[in-house]
Each structure stands twice: as C-alpha cells, then as structure tokens.
Amino acid sequence: MSTFDTITLQRAGNGRVTVLLDRPDSLNTLTPGMKDEIETALDDLRADDDVRVVVLRGRDGVFCAGSDVSGSDDDEGGGEKQVHELLERRRRDRAFYRTLDRFPKPIVAAIEGYALGAGCEIACCCDTRVAAESANIGLPEAKLGGIPNGGGTQRLTRLVGASRARDMVMRGKHYAATEMAECGFVHELAPEDEFEGLLESVVGDYLNRAPIALAIAKQLVTQGADASLESGLVMEGLGATAVSFTEDVEEGMAAFREDRDPEFRGR
C-alpha cells in the first residue's frame, strides 16, 4: 500500500476505508499533490477485494474549503503561463474528477464545515452525500473573477437542475446544508452530535449490499445518464443478466426465503 503526505487512510476492518483529507492547517484545501495521492489511493482500493465502501471526509471537521490558491499562478491571468500548459492542467483535473466519479465502489462524502469550490466538486462525484446541519456548501469562484473548473458547471447541474446551479455558480454564495438537502444535493443530514451515527447508518447500508450488483448498478446509472432511454434499457438488461449469475443473487434469494439477513461475498 502506498504512503501519503496529504491524505490518511483509515481502515475499519469491516470493508470500510476512510480517505481523510489531511491538511487541517489549510482547511483541507486541495493541491495538485493531494489530487495525485487521492488517485493513487483509489487505484489501490479499487484492486483490494476487502474494500466494500469508501468514505471521503476532511480532518478536524472541515470537508474541503476549495483549491489551495496560495502562491498559485496557474489560473487564468497567470502571466507567462502558456495556453497549452493551462489546457493540460485542465485535462489532468478532468481525469482526477473522472476517477472519483467512475470509481466502481460506493463513495460516501461526509460533509462537515465547508465544502467549497473544489470541495463541492469532489462531493458531486460521490454516490451519497451526508452532511452535518451546520455545513456550508458552495462554488465561490465568481467572487474571485473566475468560474468552476472541476465539473461545477456540469455535474452540479445534473444533480440539482439548471436553475439552482446557475444561482450557485454565478452568485458564488455559500449555502447551508439544509438548503442543499432541499434541492437534492445532500441526501441525508443530521445535527453535529448525531452526524457520526448517520454516517455509520449510511455506510452500513452499503456494507450490507452485494458488491458486484453495486458496481454494475453504479456504472449503469452513470453511463445511462448520457445515453438514450432505449440504449440505457439495453445496458440495464445486460447488467441484470450478468448479476443473475452471481452467487450473491442466490444468497439473497435464499436469505429472503429463510427470513434472515444475507451474507454477500462479492461472488
């Protein structure tokens, strides 16, 4: 397993791994090096059959307050930076967010404190977003004269609709987690003193599902969103056929008949 400087992996021993953004002095802001480390960690976790669900959260009660722009000269207006260098940076950024978005195992975003800019965009790539009621979420790039460039104008629109996304992107406001739950961005939220219990409940749901079925279902939903209905239905039929030959389906049906909890093994 790889070693890291800006993130920490915490294994619970039950199939859960937490990827902890670990730059608390900088509010866990995202750096190019942190992106590389997250990608490396996910590559390792993808190949680990013992891993069933990944939790993404930040150290010390802050999810991620955005990109680290201290001393940065690689955004628009960056002086002598050449266009092709900026385009290459954007390409690498797209690859990073795609790695999160297409990761075959469930990822739960545990949002506390701030999820701003890149933090909001990371959360957009996760399968389930749970938040503490006091959390703040937003895309503040407009206040700096820029626009989101990690999927904020695209993935967010697909999640909350064009009207809410336009307001968030163009005004650059912070929104309370309660507001973001109302528009469907946050799936579940809880007061701070109940947040850990909520997170455990959501993770437990994933741990009690069949891993192969989850992976295929995730791929179908993700790719089907960009396909025609008919093409999506064909893909769904193929996926359901593949799942029907797994041992987990047999176990699920047997557990139902015997009125017990299934024990899925990812086979």
Side-chain angles (χ1 to χ4, degrees), residues 111-159:
I111 302 173
E112 303 166 275
Y114 296 112
L116 303 176
C120 177
E121 291 169 321
I122 287 174
C124 283
C125 298
C126 297
D127 300 295
T128 299
R129 290 169 289 279
V130 298
E133 290 179 349
S134 60
N136 283 274
I137 299 164
L139 295 168
E141 288 85 352
K143 295 180 178 179
L144 302 177
I147 65 171
N149 57 67
T153 67
Q154 300 301 309
R155 288 191 180 90
L156 182 68
T157 301
R158 288 160 170 77
L159 292 174

Side-chain angles (χ1 to χ4, degrees), residues 175-252:
Y175 294 80
T178 51
E179 293 180 79
M180 296 304 290
E182 291 172 1
C183 70
F185 181 85
V186 170
H187 295 97
E188 298 190 49
L189 74 167
E192 289 73 13
D193 59 351
E194 299 176 16
F195 181 71
E196 292 299 331
L198 171 62
L199 181 59
E200 289 297 324
S201 175
V202 171
V203 169
D205 286 342
Y206 279 123
L207 292 174
N208 290 322
R209 304 295 183 261
I212 296 174
L214 287 181
I216 292 178
K218 180 173 181 175
Q219 185 175 16
L220 287 170
V221 172
T222 302
Q223 296 186 355
D226 296 323
S228 68
L229 175 60
E230 187 59 33
S231 296
L233 291 172
V234 170
M235 289 190 292
E236 182 182 77
L238 294 172
T241 300
V243 170
S244 69
F245 286 96
T246 63
E247 293 180 15
D248 281 344
V249 164
E250 295 179 8
E251 166 62 12

Side-chain angles (χ1 to χ4, degrees), residues 6 14 24 32 58 70 73 85 91 101 129 145 152 175 177 202 237 239 262:
T6 63
N14 60 353
S70 59
D73 66 350
E85 293 175 307
R91 185 199 65 77
D101 191 35
R129 290 169 289 279
Y175 294 80
V202 171

